[in-house]
């Protein structure tokens, strides 16, 4: 939405550093092996920070996936619906707003990078809770996730990019038992996949 860069701006610095170091080790120091590793790292970073264009196609009452990934669980408890999405290194890593809303970062706790499926990860890993009003999004960092960068812009349009999340687990909490259009095992895409619709 409005961002035509093929790379997310957050990736410019790490990609640039990797390329400069690769050139330095390659042409100045003549250490081809180390330079090769850095070139591979730069390519990997370009892949991680790729920014494909997404066009929102949904009704006003529908809500979108905020991340790319795979749904591994859906729970309904105390009248609320919880969707759990695994995000891997192969996914696109841009976070996008699921609805038109004012974003409030309810909490953001720095931490470790243990595998997100481990029990201790829920207590020790970096995590954040994002409040979009009718929807809450919990981010739990995984092994390869760099420090989370969340846009401090408050008012977001549906599908608008607001941060980067490379690897880990995402829980989407719906305030009510809303109608869902997805099921366990489905792949979802941020700003593109319609997860469901509000009942009211």
């Amino acid at each position: 939405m409005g961002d035509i860069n093929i790379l997310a701006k957050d990736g410019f610095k790490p990609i640039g550093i990797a390329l400069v170091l690769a050139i330095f080790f390659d042409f100045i120091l003549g250490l081809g092996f180390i330079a090769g590793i850095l070139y591979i790292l730069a390519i990997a970073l370009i892949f991680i920070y790729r920014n494909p264009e997404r066009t929102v196609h949904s009704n006003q009452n529908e809500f979108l996936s905020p991340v790319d990934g795979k749904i591994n669980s859906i729970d309904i408890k105390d009248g609320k619906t919880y969707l759990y999405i695994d995000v891997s290194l192969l996914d696109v890593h841009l976070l996008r707003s699921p609805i038109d809303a004012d974003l409030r970062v309810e909490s953001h706790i720095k931490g470790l990078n243990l595998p997100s499926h481990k029990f201790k990860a829920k207590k020790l890993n970096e995590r954040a809770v994002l409040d979009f009003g009718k929807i809450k999004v919990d981010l739990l960092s995984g092994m390869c996730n760099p420090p989370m960068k969340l846009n401090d812009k408050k008012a977001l349009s549906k599908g608008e990019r607001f941060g980067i999340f490379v690897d880990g687990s995402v829980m989407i909490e719906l305030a009510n038992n809303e109608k869902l259009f997805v099921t366990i095992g489905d792949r979802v895409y941020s700003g593109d996949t319609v997860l469901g619709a509000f009942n009211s």
Side-chain angles (χ1 to χ4, degrees):
M1 295 261 326
D3 188 350
I4 60 174
N5 293 320
I6 61 172
L7 294 175
K9 294 178 181 178
D10 309 75
F12 290 173
K13 183 176 179 179
I15 292 169
I17 291 173
L19 286 174
V20 168
L21 288 175
I23 293 170
F24 177 76
F25 278 97
D26 193 2
F27 296 100
I28 304 300
L29 299 182
L31 299 175
F33 177 75
I34 296 177
I37 294 175
L38 290 167
Y39 283 127
I40 293 173
L41 175 61
I43 293 171
L45 289 171
I46 290 172
F47 180 79
I48 287 174
Y49 287 103
R50 68 198 187 280
N51 181 23
E53 186 175 353
R54 299 274 168 89
T55 302
V56 175
H57 296 289
S58 70
N59 297 326
Q60 185 63 32
N61 204 41
E62 296 175 336
F63 50 93
L64 305 174
S65 176
V67 296
D68 281 32
K70 185 177 181 180
I71 297 177
N72 66 5
S73 180
I74 298 175
D75 291 333
I76 299 175
K77 183 179 179 181
D78 299 328
K80 295 183 178 181
T81 301
Y82 301 88
L83 287 79
Y84 297 85
I85 301 174
D86 279 338
V87 180
S88 76
L89 290 175
L90 298 179
D91 292 309
V92 174
H93 306 293
L94 300 179
L95 295 168
R96 296 180 185 270
S97 181
I99 58 176
D100 294 329
D102 290 334
L103 169 61
R104 183 171 69 90
V105 180
E106 191 172 288
S107 66
H108 185 187
I109 301 171
K110 302 292 185 180
L112 305 177
N113 288 92
L114 302 174
S116 58
H117 64 275
K118 297 291 186 181
F119 177 77
K120 290 183 178 179
K122 295 179 181 180
K123 297 292 185 181
L124 300 178
N125 280 20
E126 182 178 10
R127 53 202 184 276
V129 179
L130 312 177
D131 188 349
F132 293 88
K134 291 184 177 181
I135 296 176
K136 283 189 178 181
V137 177
D138 290 22
L139 306 174
L140 179 64
S141 176
M143 287 184 65
C144 301
N145 206 65
M148 294 183 196
K149 294 183 178 180
L150 304 172
N151 196 326
D152 59 1
K153 181 179 179 182
K154 301 300 181 184
L156 294 172
S157 300
K158 184 188 293 187
E160 184 176 353
R161 184 170 73 85
F162 66 88
I164 296 284
F165 186 74
V166 173
D167 166 55
S169 178
V170 175
M171 181 185 76
I172 300 171
E173 176 186 329
L174 303 171
N176 300 298
N177 188 8
E178 312 291 4
K179 182 178 181 181
L180 298 180
F181 302 153
V182 293
T183 188
I184 295 172
D186 285 354
R187 294 208 62 82
V188 296
Y189 303 92
S190 67
D192 184 55
T193 301
V194 178
L195 296 179
F198 296 111
N199 291 321
S200 59

